Amino acid sequence: MSMTRRIAGQLVGGLISILGASIIAFLFMRVLPGNPARLIVGPLASQEAITQQEKAMGLDQPLVVQYWRYIKGIITGDWGFAYTSGETVRHEIVARLPASMELGLYAFLIAFVLAVLLAVLSTYRHRPWLDGGVRTASFLGLGTPPFWFGLIALLLFSQVWGIFPGPDGRLGPDTIPPPTVTHFYTFDAVIAGQWGTAWDALRHIALPAITLGLAPWAFLVRLLRANLLEVSRENFLVVVRSKGLGRRPAFQKHALPNAFLPTLTAAGLLLAQLLAGSVLVEKVFNWPGVGGLIVDSILRQDFAVVQTFVLLSAILYVCVNVVVEILYSVVDPRVRLPVMK
Amino acid sequence: MKSSVGVAEGPEGGPRVRAAHRVFSFLAHEPALAAAVGALGLLLFLAVFGPLIWTKSATAVDVGSSLLPPSRAHPMGTDSIGRDVFSRFNEGARISLAVGVLVVVVGAILGGVAGVVAGASPGWVDATLMRIMDAILAFPALILAMAVTVGLGAGLETAALGIMLGSLPYYARLLRSEVLRIRSLPFIEAAHALGARRTRIMARHIVPHVVSTLLIQGAAVFGYAILTLAALGFVGLGAQVPTPEWGTMITDGLQYFLTGQWWIGAFPGFGVLLAVTAASVIADRTRDILDPRGRFAHV
Amino acid sequence: MTAAPRDLVLDVGDLETNYYTQAGVVEAVRKVSLEIERGHRVGLVGESGSGKSTLALSILGLIEPPGRVVGGSVVLNGCDIAKFSDRQLQKVRGRQVSLVFQDPMTALDPVKTIGAQIAETILRHRRIGRRAARRNAVELLRDVEVPQADRRLDDYPHQYSGGMRQRVLIAIALANEPDLVIADEPTAALDVTTQAQVLDVLERLVTERGTAVMLITHNLGVVAEFCDRVFVMYAGRLVERASADDLFACQAHPYSEALLRSVPRPDRLQRGPLPTIPGSPPSLAHLPPGCPFEPRCPVGQGLDVCRTQVPVPVAVGDPADPIVAECHFAQERWSAAVGRSASGGGT
């Protein structure tokens, strides 16, 4: 099957998944007890006020019509109002998205770089101590509840040893955010030349990023290690060595690239998950990201926000899937080129 | 080493002793697995026998002895209203382990059946089932569980339901690919060629392999279930006050972390860590050991 | 009596390789000695598990843990490379001695082009530019009869058929004109027609360049056509060594005879089941005290001398070019065979 057909197939499948997710999200929020109209007009409002509000919100229409309006709204950018804050959903989400994305990016970088480093070190030469240590650490990393780890980390590194600042969000209380370019404080501060701000931002993002990146690191390091071990036993490496290549060039030029390929897909998906923000880590560190917004919205049954966010994360997930697929087919010649004889 | 026949040497005492001996020498070769089984065993012991041995109440409020650090009277200290953390820990263990097992078993059955049906059925059934699974997967698992608990009322049971829902696609996809793979394996054709009836083929060849795959996936889901349950408890969905679930206990301890009374939140979190890590190790090592190629059996 | 000093490209003496596994120590290569003269072709024959591939890898120094070469000498072009460090061996591999690997489907890096993989060995050992190496690679592809070589140079392994990939492996092995090529089952994964093709290519190239070849195979037909000398390997030892002519005329070791007899003859009508060698090779971790072939040997099975005493190598036949077999009955068997052919009975 040619590459364009495969990608087209992926896209169609993705769209169907998104559609399905949107229906589930939509229906679900309608099923919630509690009346959003009432939430808006307040607990003391009269029945007429509530009915009027319902009409204004279109809640008296049949479900199908409501769904249609909802989908239309999503596409046109009208994502409704957040009932608890009064702002548009879009405003709420967009305001907080960069914080989550910055956190997710750093978490991914830490996880990825450390995973590659440790996986390579522990498999290149037979170092049973390091290997065993890495494996144990990866199991522990997968099993640690991130919110608990964040708390312990705060306790040790912030309270007891004072290396990192406490949970006051992205910047210290005395620091002014840098002028906005990318919405990422670390980048913007560097761009504006505000080194003090940049340092402060980095110090604040360190602990949450490490906490968030712990589980992804554990996952990646195990995957890469397993792939490296498997590739090391492949026959073509014997052939490469029989050409007179040393262990290091054989490892670098042949083992690593082949082991990296299957890791790419997993890494891409992880990045997507991380970018969508982590609900709990953000809460622990008072990080003003999307995650905190979502938790509060769920608890307060502010379904407009939740609906939109869920749909958005579904779309993100599908998009990243497709991108990873495309990337993979570009990078892996077995997928890119058809078999000819 | 022992002789392979096992009759001339080995301990006396009949087949039971010999079997036990075999189990022990097996475990001796697998320190990680042994440690994991031991850890889970300890938690299980605390969950089941804890309240019998340590009779302090998990819910009795005693404000006079609040915020006491760990001591002989209170091995894990007391919380903000004087409840004994250790007995709450044991209760929490019981809840987490029970929910974990429940979620795994029910999820495995439902998800597994869905996967098998999808793999063994014609195109459109397969496609529909898998699209549903994909739609579930598109939700971040935690959000899904949260939405379920909020929608159906916060509580332990709804939390378990939400968690189980999120685990279904994993079983379904796994079993579907297993069924597809096995269907086309030559040894199935060979058994067929030798005249074996379909049910016999299923029972003797497919089922054992599928069961072991399910078990391994189940062990991993077990860990995920406990983790998610704690996460739900942390945000106030899931188990409700005064139920001593580990996640809610961490929330209780949240504000006391930075004021010095670390034990309230640290111990339950450690319990989660222990349970989930042990489950992952067991899942991982079992998978390696059962690998028919045996390549990774001792890597 | 004194023969002219032979020009040996390879002289292996008492090579021993063990694998240290959970199940015990596996003695894969047990004090094997062999010689290959320059330009000659020898065949190494044996069942799966006899240690043939391990021997090849041991010669090249490519045994990885849990395996280890524990003794012996490997004199290549006059130097004992068994004593070399890996760095020193890197200069030898692919240059003076090279390997044609057995499984073409997994022997090439799937994410690198064929051209890159051929050029890799050229660039490793010669100081030429990448473009020159590329031209060289095209030449080699033409030598091994890959059509449209200049275009197919940039293809990936999965775009080649099995036979073509095998020929690429030959090209890689011969790229730097080594003195010795070890071909490990180069045709095992191919169908009969492709086999013939690949062997033809190999034959032509080594004849052109005067390369010595050690052909490892279990296919005796190939050995008959291709090789001057034959070594028969069983349970980690060379149980018989002879010129090809001698071996096919008369097999001093019962194993060799059994091997030959188990080759199905399509030109003869065969009634009854195909002849096989009953039983299976012994475990190299738990070797019996006497002759390793005894349990399956039509001659020595059950005999005390075969069960308890390890046979020593016995030289029979022409003293200038003897057949050397490790069997208590080698001499008798040979004499009997000579007697048979003298009295006119043929095979």
Side-chain angles (χ1 to χ4, degrees):
Chain A
M1 199 188 305
S2 81
M3 195 167 85
T4 30
R5 279 192 65 188
R6 285 174 95 249
I7 294 180
Q10 282 274 319
L11 282 169
V12 169
L15 270 166
I16 300 181
S17 297
I18 293 177
L19 218 60
S22 72
I23 295 178
I24 295 180
F26 173 80
L27 285 176
F28 212 82
M29 286 298 149
R30 292 290 183 282
V31 158
L32 286 184
N35 191 332
R38 170 180 290 249
L39 278 175
I40 292 188
V41 298
L44 300 171
S46 65
Q47 185 56 43
E48 297 134 32
I50 297 178
T51 323
Q52 247 194 343
Q53 183 63 36
E54 286 179 354
K55 250 194 141 135
M57 290 170 59
L59 287 176
D60 53 335
Q61 308 270 20
L63 273 182
V64 183
V65 175
Q66 290 191 44
Y67 179 72
W68 177 240
R69 290 182 64 197
Y70 159 62
I71 293 291
K72 257 200 342 185
I74 296 291
I75 300 176
T76 56
D78 170 18
W79 297 349
F81 280 86
Y83 306 118
T84 38
S85 67
E87 303 274 357
T88 62
V89 170
R90 187 176 185 174
H91 178 268
E92 289 284 316
I93 291 184
V94 166
R96 292 173 142 79
L97 202 54
S100 291
M101 288 180 75
E102 188 179 19
L103 181 59
L105 182 67
Y106 275 88
F108 179 77
L109 283 176
I110 293 177
F112 188 76
V113 168
L114 273 181
V116 170
L117 212 64
L118 285 172
V120 167
L121 277 178
S122 65
T123 57
Y124 176 60
R125 274 207 188 288
H126 194 56
R127 296 185 178 107
W129 295 105
L130 183 63
D131 199 30
V134 167
R135 287 182 66 211
T136 315
S138 71
F139 276 120
L140 288 174
L142 279 177
T144 313
F147 50 93
W148 178 81
F149 181 80
L151 288 170
I152 301 282
L154 271 176
L155 180 66
L156 285 178
F157 290 99
S158 176
Q159 273 259 300
V160 177
W161 295 330
I163 308 176
F164 289 109
D168 29 47
R170 301 175 78 183
L171 292 171
D174 304 325
T175 322
I176 316 169
T180 309
V181 178
T182 64
H183 290 274
F184 282 25
Y185 284 1
T186 46
F187 296 167
D188 288 347
V190 167
I191 293 175
Q194 296 175 352
W195 303 111
T197 312
W199 181 240
D200 192 45
L202 269 178
R203 286 183 73 224
H204 274 87
I205 208 174
L207 275 185
I210 293 174
T211 306
L212 188 55
L214 182 63
W217 166 81
F219 182 72
L220 279 177
V221 83
R222 290 189 60 216
L223 186 62
L224 195 54
R225 182 183 164 277
N227 286 335
L228 275 173
L229 281 176
E230 194 157 335
V231 168
S232 302
R233 290 171 217 254
E234 290 279 352
N235 286 333
F236 66 81
L237 276 183
V238 175
V239 172
V240 166
R241 295 269 286 142
S242 77
K243 293 181 194 170
L245 263 79
R247 286 207 181 87
R248 181 122 71 93
F251 186 81
Q252 274 177 316
K253 292 194 210 154
H254 294 273
L256 268 186
N258 273 282
F260 254 91
L261 271 185
T263 323
L264 261 186
T265 359
L269 291 176
L270 268 181
L271 182 59
Q273 281 177 10
L274 284 174
L275 286 179
S278 165
V279 169
L280 303 170
V281 172
E282 290 184 7
K283 182 158 180 174
V284 166
F285 288 93
N286 282 324
W287 198 260
V290 176
L293 173 69
I294 298 308
V295 176
D296 292 338
S297 304
I298 291 182
L299 289 174
R300 291 184 225 145
Q301 297 182 9
D302 192 342
F303 71 74
V305 177
V306 181
Q307 240 176 19
T308 314
F309 175 76
V310 163
L311 192 56
L312 285 178
S313 61
I315 294 176
L316 177 68
Y317 177 78
V318 167
C319 285
V320 170
N321 254 319
V322 171
V323 166
V324 165
E325 269 285 333
I326 296 178
L327 209 66
Y328 202 88
S329 39
V330 162
V331 165
D332 185 346
R334 285 168 291 191
V335 179
R336 176 168 28 124
L337 301 162
V339 177
M340 304 176 313
K341 285 268 175 111
Chain B
M1 292 292 290
K2 295 169 36 157
S3 86
S4 50
V5 177
V7 172
E9 300 149 30
E12 300 124 25
R16 283 196 167 201
V17 180
R18 279 205 294 271
H21 202 264
R22 259 202 300 264
V23 170
F24 273 119
S25 61
F26 167 73
L27 282 178
H29 278 295
E30 292 281 338
L33 192 56
V37 171
L40 266 188
L42 174 66
L43 287 175
L44 195 65
F45 176 80
L46 285 177
V48 172
F49 296 110
L52 299 176
I53 303 178
W54 185 260
T55 48
K56 289 213 173 89
S57 160
T59 47
V61 175
D62 179 10
V63 184
S65 10
S66 61
L67 299 179
L68 295 177
S71 61
R72 286 196 83 167
H74 299 281
M76 291 185 183
T78 58
D79 67 0
S80 58
I81 46 181
R83 295 177 291 198
D84 177 43
V85 177
F86 184 57
S87 46
R88 289 175 66 81
F89 181 88
N90 296 341
E91 277 280 322
R94 174 125 52 95
I95 294 175
S96 289
L97 292 179
V99 169
V101 168
L102 191 70
V103 164
V104 166
V105 168
V106 175
I109 294 176
L110 290 179
V113 164
V116 169
V117 166
S121 300
W124 65 271
V125 176
D126 184 6
T128 325
L129 274 171
M130 281 303 118
R131 283 290 151 248
I132 296 178
M133 292 302 161
D134 280 346
I136 297 180
L137 267 182
F139 282 79
L142 191 56
I143 306 283
L144 180 64
M146 280 193 207
V148 169
T149 45
V150 170
L152 301 178
L156 206 48
E157 301 80 12
T158 48
L161 182 66
I163 298 172
M164 188 210 63
L165 206 60
S167 73
L168 288 179
Y170 293 97
Y171 292 113
R173 295 227 289 213
L174 186 65
L175 257 86
R176 177 178 169 276
S177 70
E178 284 296 302
V179 168
L180 287 176
R181 192 175 68 86
I182 292 178
R183 268 170 72 178
S184 59
L185 276 182
F187 83 84
I188 297 293
E189 287 184 43
H192 211 39
L194 286 173
R197 282 176 301 120
R198 288 186 74 115
T199 41
R200 188 182 162 88
I201 296 179
M202 284 271 296
R204 290 199 68 170
H205 298 287
I206 302 183
V207 172
H209 179 87
V210 164
V211 166
S212 73
T213 317
L214 264 180
L215 278 176
I216 293 167
Q217 177 75 23
V221 171
F222 179 76
Y224 151 79
I226 296 183
L227 209 50
T228 316
L229 183 65
L232 287 174
F234 184 67
V235 280
L237 308 166
Q240 298 295 294
V241 171
T243 322
E245 189 265 320
W246 281 340
T248 53
M249 289 171 72
I250 298 180
T251 319
D252 288 344
L254 190 58
Q255 61 198 130
Y256 295 102
F257 254 105
L258 302 179
T259 58
Q261 289 89 18
W262 53 272
W263 52 89
I264 306 178
F267 284 112
F270 189 68
V272 175
L273 171 65
L274 208 59
V276 178
T277 309
S280 311
V281 170
I282 292 176
D284 193 69
R285 288 309 294 158
T286 317
R287 185 164 34 99
D288 286 350
I289 292 173
L290 289 181
D291 182 348
R293 283 171 296 174
R295 282 186 311 169
F296 296 112
H298 283 278
V299 161
Chain C
M1 265 303 295
T2 27
R6 295 148 72 202
D7 184 8
L8 294 176
V9 68
L10 181 70
D11 184 357
V12 176
D14 285 341
L15 191 60
E16 265 191 278
T17 305
N18 289 346
Y19 278 86
Y20 300 93
T21 70
Q22 294 270 346
V25 179
V26 177
E27 299 174 39
V29 178
R30 304 189 291 136
K31 290 211 162 70
V32 166
S33 305
L34 58 85
E35 299 142 355
I36 306 181
E37 287 182 49
R38 197 165 299 279
H40 280 212
R41 315 208 196 124
V42 310
L44 182 61
V45 183
E47 283 168 294
S48 326
S50 52
K52 318 192 293 286
S53 296
T54 312
L55 178 59
L57 291 176
S58 306
I59 293 174
L60 283 163
L62 285 175
I63 299 287
E64 294 284 326
R68 201 156 61 90
V69 175
V70 293
S73 63
V74 178
V75 179
L76 180 73
N77 282 330
C79 286
D80 185 2
I81 63 175
K83 308 256 178 305
F84 276 21
S85 69
D86 194 69
R87 293 208 82 134
Q88 292 168 298
L89 278 170
Q90 287 168 28
K91 299 212 183 70
V92 172
R93 296 185 199 122
R95 177 74 191 81
Q96 294 180 47
V97 57
S98 61
L99 181 67
V100 178
F101 198 78
Q102 59 181 304
D103 183 5
M105 308 310 273
T106 58
L108 292 166
D109 188 335
V111 300
K112 298 225 168 359
T113 62
I114 296 285
Q117 300 192 51
I118 302 179
E120 188 172 35
T121 185
I122 299 173
L123 289 168
R124 173 69 185 89
H125 293 283
R126 280 190 264 161
R127 294 188 179 289
I128 61 179
R130 297 185 62 172
R131 243 185 268 184
R134 193 188 153 83
R135 265 179 278 135
N136 214 308
V138 176
E139 275 303 309
L140 283 163
L141 269 189
R142 291 214 184 91
D143 279 345
V144 295
E145 295 173 18
V146 168
Q148 301 180 314
D150 48 350
R151 281 203 281 158
R152 305 222 61 174
L153 197 66
D154 296 320
D155 282 345
Y156 287 86
H158 70 279
Q159 296 171 283
Y160 274 45
S161 71
M164 285 166 72
R165 289 190 227 188
Q166 189 63 276
R167 282 178 273 154
V168 168
L169 290 176
I170 295 177
I172 292 177
L174 291 172
N176 294 314
E177 319 231 329
D179 300 308
L180 170 66
V181 166
I182 303 178
D184 190 353
E185 309 260 17
T187 56
L190 306 168
D191 62 80
V192 184
T193 331
T194 325
Q195 272 185 31
Q197 201 181 24
V198 169
L199 284 170
D200 277 345
V201 166
L202 182 63
E203 162 124 49
R204 182 169 50 79
L205 290 175
V206 299
T207 314
E208 277 174 20
R209 295 148 205 247
T211 320
V213 179
M214 179 196 285
L215 183 67
I216 302 178
T217 179
H218 55 263
N219 187 333
L220 288 161
V222 168
V223 172
E225 278 202 38
F226 194 86
C227 303
D228 309 317
R229 299 193 67 80
V230 185
F231 298 118
V232 180
M233 194 158 181
Y234 187 78
R237 283 197 64 80
L238 294 187
V239 294
E240 182 156 3
R241 60 186 80 204
S243 70
D245 294 332
D246 282 346
L247 186 75
F248 286 102
C250 138
Q251 303 85 48
H253 196 285
Y255 177 60
S256 318
E257 183 179 350
L259 268 182
L260 267 170
R261 244 188 302 120
S262 67
V263 178
R265 300 277 303 259
D267 59 323
R268 281 217 200 136
L269 212 49
Q270 211 137 25
R271 296 191 192 285
L274 289 171
T276 56
I277 311 177
S280 40
S283 157
L284 295 170
H286 304 109
L287 287 159
C291 171
F293 188 57
E294 176 269 328
R296 313 161 75 188
C297 183
V299 173
Q301 187 182 53
L303 294 182
D304 254 346
V305 62
C306 295
R307 288 226 333 252
T308 55
Q309 292 183 35
V310 179
V312 287
V314 172
V316 299
D318 177 8
D321 185 13
I323 301 176
V324 180
E326 291 184 0
C327 177
H328 298 295
F329 300 102
Q331 187 65 56
E332 290 99 328
R333 288 173 53 80
W334 187 77
S335 308
V338 166
R340 275 201 301 274
S341 54
S343 60
T347 350

